[in-house]
Amino acid sequence: MTAANEPIISIRNVWKFFGELTALHDVSLDVQAGEKVVIIGPSGSGKSTLLRSINRLENVDKGSIIVDGKDIRAEDSDINVIRQDLGMVFQSFNLFPHKTVLQNLTMAPMRLRKVPRDEAESRALDLLKKVGISDKANVYPAMLSGGQQQRVAIARALAMNPKIMLFDEPTSALDPEMIGEVLDVMVTLAKEGMTMVCVTHEMGFAREVADRIIFMDHGQILEQGTPQHFFEAPEHPRLQKFLQQIL
Ligand code: ADP
Ligand code: MG
């Protein structure tokens, strides 16, 4: 647990190298409980690497990452336990294809949190209702549209009762008409107070939801601020150029 006012995520002076390439260049970032942080930046700027470092899907080479008071790099930290508090949603939905929607949602809570089946199922049905697909509980992922699959993926992450949700371009693989239904779920989650770190190119979402927007380029955080600052008074020339290209 973190003490009052201590950030729930604290990233300090983190470096990550892939061979000769510096993917993260001395990155520091604090996220407060309940805060919504949106990360933007060109392709290859290190956004996914930073997000994946938070739950140690990438091992960083230098620096420290503290999540909910636990040093995720410490030898005595159990990353599997830390990951239970970190829900992650990827661009590709990554559902288990041979499990029904309901089973996709109940598996981890039953196995990892030892939740009894009836309780896990009843919570799963509540979550499916929340993401607007309660009628699909017993179908297989392949029967669903991309937007529906991504909503199941969000529900599955929520089924573990995470303290933090990490989103890596959750709408980038979707047909345009399905983007809104996924963003709506994310907006609802944000309004309920979830701590969220989202990599996205959806600037409408960023404007509506973000407490803070982070701009990355070449593995560095070049600028951060409120949506108002970002859209009305961006300072760094590379941010100005990036915004011109995407807006
Ligand atoms: P973004 O998500 O902003 O597009 P990434 O974090 O995926 O950027 O990648 C940052 C840089 O690190 C890119 O140059 C990318 O090619 C490189 N990179 C990412 N993952 C690997 C990997 N597993 N092996 C080698 N290089 C990688
Ligand atoms: Mg990426």
Side-chain angles (χ1 to χ4, degrees), residues 209-245:
V209 161
D211 295 308
R212 190 151 47 112
I213 304 179
I214 308 284
F215 174 65
M216 289 187 73
D217 198 12
H218 296 293
Q220 287 180 292
I221 294 178
L222 291 188
E223 191 155 335
Q224 51 181 308
T226 60
Q228 193 184 2
H229 167 83
F230 255 71
F231 296 114
E232 286 163 27
E235 284 163 21
H236 201 289
R238 275 191 260 164
L239 171 59
Q240 292 172 354
K241 183 161 166 255
F242 178 75
L243 290 172
Q244 274 166 16
Q245 284 164 345

Side-chain angles (χ1 to χ4, degrees), residues 96 99-125 155-156 159-160:
F96 304 114
K99 303 271 178 199
T100 65
V101 164
L102 189 73
Q103 288 165 342
N104 264 277
L105 266 67
T106 55
M107 221 163 64
M110 285 168 60
R111 280 196 195 161
L112 303 174
R113 294 237 198 250
K114 309 294 176 208
V115 178
R117 176 181 298 274
D118 53 349
E119 211 178 288
E121 288 184 349
S122 121
R123 169 143 171 84
L125 290 170
R156 181 178 62 175
M160 283 294 282

Side-chain angles (χ1 to χ4, degrees), residues 2-3 5 15 22 24 43 47 78 92 102 106 131 140-141 145 148 152 164 172 179 181 201-202 206 209 235-236:
T2 47
N5 299 325
W15 295 74
T22 305
L24 295 176
S43 177
K47 306 180 298 296
D78 183 345
S92 52
L102 189 73
T106 55
V131 302
Y140 289 88
S145 72
Q148 289 171 328
V152 172
I164 300 162
S172 294
I179 292 175
E181 66 198 46
H201 299 297
E202 293 295 329
V209 161
E235 284 163 21
H236 201 289

